Amino acid sequence: MILTAAAQAASYIHFKDLGLDPVALDLGFFQLKWYSLAYIGGILIGWWYLLKLLDQPGAPMARRHADDMVFYATLGIILGGRLGYAIFYQPQLFLEPIKLLQLWEGGMSFHGGVIGVTLAILWLCRRNGLSWLRVHDYVACAVPFGLFFGRLANFVNGELWGRPTDVPWGIVFERTGMAVPRHPSQLYEAGLEGLLLFAVLWFMFWKTDARYQPGKLVGTFILGYGLSRYFVEFFREYDVQFDGTFFATPGFHMGQLLTIPMILGGLYLIATAKKRRERVEPIAGGPSIA
């Protein structure tokens, strides 16, 4: 199948013909890349949406807490994402601290970012006496924005491409060194982790009482992300540093193994959410919602 696809590569879309440039703005002395804009856009739009959620009755924190959280969550994303990448994918970076600090060279782990943001939320909630699980619920609803923009940036960069395929929408990524069409797995992830997951959480927040069941929304998020990532990894090429190892086996990619705790944790949070249901005052002095 792969040989046939290679012979017919001319009939497929070539990434170089899409005219995509990783650099959004080049002033000579300064470059702004789409990857950076994806992080900035995801954080700012996620913050804006979080404020919309907090405007609803029964919010677990005030506007001032959300403003503080943006700062700490950003640190958690950057530090956790980079350290997670080094731990899970490139341990040798710890032997070259300078390269570890070169964030502009790429290399961020979503799982590490999740840990970083979680620690930031726990610290903020403990400091302000907030319900950490309910705050997680609200923040989880805003995260898909960053996932969507991040995966689009991966596509624009021509990185994290998929496995060889003969599907009509296959794309030839010249950076692979082979004229073989591949799955645009970055777009699959943008659709599942970004658009679909946002739609599910939007419905649960606005059309159900899920936000009054601590852990249900964040549980849905980590379960949805875990299942989406595990599924897409079957179409995504394994990381080159794992070539010839156990982690190059479909079903056991590093990205898939790291989703297993997320899937189990998400199922647990969803299954036990009703037991944690809280009585929340939607309007000060008004009747409680049981």
Side-chain angles (χ1 to χ4, degrees):
M1 180 184 72
I2 296 176
L3 293 178
T4 301
Q8 300 175 343
S11 64
Y12 286 90
I13 298 173
H14 284 247
F15 183 79
K16 64 180 181 181
D17 295 332
L18 296 177
L20 300 176
D21 189 340
V23 179
L25 178 65
D26 189 350
L27 300 177
F29 61 92
F30 173 78
Q31 285 188 339
L32 181 61
K33 297 185 177 181
W34 287 111
Y35 196 67
S36 299
L37 286 176
Y39 272 87
I40 296 171
I43 292 171
L44 292 180
I45 296 177
W47 177 30
W48 166 82
Y49 185 61
L50 177 62
L51 295 180
K52 294 295 183 183
L53 301 181
L54 294 178
D55 282 341
Q56 303 307 304
M61 61 180 172
R63 165 68 185 261
R64 66 180 185 279
H65 299 130
D67 293 343
D68 290 340
M69 181 172 296
V70 172
F71 173 73
Y72 296 119
T74 299
L75 288 180
I77 291 171
I78 295 174
L79 297 178
R82 187 59 171 174
L83 290 175
Y85 177 77
I87 293 171
F88 301 133
Y89 296 95
Q90 293 281 6
Q92 63 269 28
L93 286 175
F94 288 109
L95 302 177
E96 303 176 85
I98 299 299
K99 289 188 176 181
L100 184 62
L101 297 175
Q102 294 175 345
L103 301 179
W104 56 90
E105 295 296 333
M108 298 287 281
S109 165
F110 171 77
H111 303 89
V114 166
I115 294 173
V117 172
T118 297
L119 292 176
I121 292 176
L122 289 173
W123 184 84
L124 182 71
C125 290
R126 182 174 181 179
R127 183 184 179 188
N128 293 278
L130 304 174
S131 169
W132 66 272
L133 198 51
R134 292 201 68 224
V135 171
H136 268 87
D137 281 336
Y138 278 62
V139 172
C141 291
V143 173
F145 290 107
L147 293 175
F148 177 71
F149 292 133
R151 293 310 181 191
L152 290 184
N154 290 148
F155 182 74
V156 171
N157 287 347
E159 61 188 5
L160 303 183
W161 48 73
R163 301 177 67 189
T165 182
D166 61 356
V167 297
W169 57 87
I171 297 178
V172 178
F173 293 91
E174 284 76 13
R175 285 181 57 186
T176 64
M178 297 182 289
V180 177
R182 295 173 177 272
H183 285 285
S185 55
Q186 313 96 321
L187 301 183
Y188 299 170
E189 292 190 79
L192 291 175
E193 301 167 7
L195 298 179
L196 179 59
L197 194 50
F198 171 77
V200 171
L201 292 170
W202 178 91
F203 178 83
M204 292 180 66
F205 183 93
W206 295 100
K207 301 298 181 180
T208 74
D209 64 349
R211 65 179 181 270
Y212 299 121
Q213 300 177 43
K216 192 167 190 178
L217 290 169
V218 69
T220 299
F221 169 77
I222 60 177
L223 173 63
Y225 176 86
L227 292 174
S228 297
R229 179 67 181 271
Y230 196 91
F231 172 73
V232 173
E233 284 283 339
F234 283 108
F235 303 94
R236 177 172 159 177
E237 192 69 272
Y238 58 82
D239 294 271
V240 64
Q241 63 267 31
F242 296 131
D243 189 26
T245 71
F246 173 78
F247 299 115
T249 307
F252 298 96
H253 288 181
M254 178 61 76
Q256 291 177 307
L257 295 178
L258 292 174
T259 64
I260 294 177
M262 300 182 73
I263 293 172
L264 296 177
L267 288 172
Y268 170 78
L269 289 173
I270 294 171
T272 58
K274 286 187 177 181
K275 297 179 181 179
R276 292 186 293 271
R277 186 181 179 92
E278 296 182 355
R279 297 180 66 85
V280 179
E281 295 288 349
I283 302 176
S288 298
I289 295 178

